[in-house]
Structure formats: C-alpha cells, structure tokens
Amino acid sequence: MTNKPINPLFDTQTDLEALIAADREREAMAVAARIIDRAADTAPVAVDPDIAEAMGAFEDDALSEEDALDACFNPYGDNDGEDGSHG
C-alpha cells in the first residue's frame, strides 16, 4: 500500500496534522476571547499577550503616557488659546 496524501493540497500527513492543530489553536483562542470578554464586563481582566493579539489588541501610540495623564487632570487644555478651547 502506498502512502498517498489524504488531500491533494497537502504533501504529507504532517502538513494536514499541522493545519488541524492550527485550527484547534484558533478555536481555543476564540473561546478564550469570549470568556475574557464576558469577564471584563464586571471587572478588569489580565489577558495573555497572545490572546490579546488574537482579540485585536494593539499598542496605542496616539498619545504619550504623559499627554494622557495631563488630559485626565486638565481635560480642556492649558487655557492659553493654543489648544482651541473656549475659556
């Protein structure tokens, strides 16, 4: 009996097994993402970086940490007219 590929798209059984493993990992990530999403409705949740990436997380670089903190304490700017505020 010759060892023929199960699927003509794959050269070996190992390729097919790798695809199945990758599909299982994607499904596991999706399940973990749903669990985290539900848990985050009630409290902050620590998330594994790989799962966060699968959920679409990215590093926000629109503001520096210092600018973000300044905005928390002075949401309308410095009132010097340069920021377009009316006050």
Side-chain angles (χ1 to χ4, degrees):
M1 186 167 141
T2 61
N3 190 7
K4 292 183 180 178
I6 294 175
N7 186 324
L9 296 175
F10 303 100
D11 292 333
T12 65
Q13 180 68 25
T14 305
D15 291 340
L16 184 57
E17 290 169 356
L19 181 64
I20 291 168
D23 189 50
R24 286 183 182 151
E25 184 172 341
R26 278 191 299 275
E27 181 60 28
M29 290 285 195
V31 169
R34 287 192 297 271
I35 291 169
I36 290 167
D37 190 43
R38 288 185 189 131
D41 285 341
T42 58
V45 177
V47 180
D48 177 90
D50 292 332
I51 296 172
E53 185 177 338
M55 293 175 74
F58 58 92
E59 186 174 340
D60 186 359
D61 60 359
L63 289 174
S64 69
E65 183 177 355
E66 182 180 344
D67 289 343
L69 287 172
D70 285 346
C72 287
F73 295 110
N74 192 4
Y76 302 108
D78 294 329
N79 291 329
D80 59 7
E82 293 180 18
D83 64 355
S85 65
H86 304 290

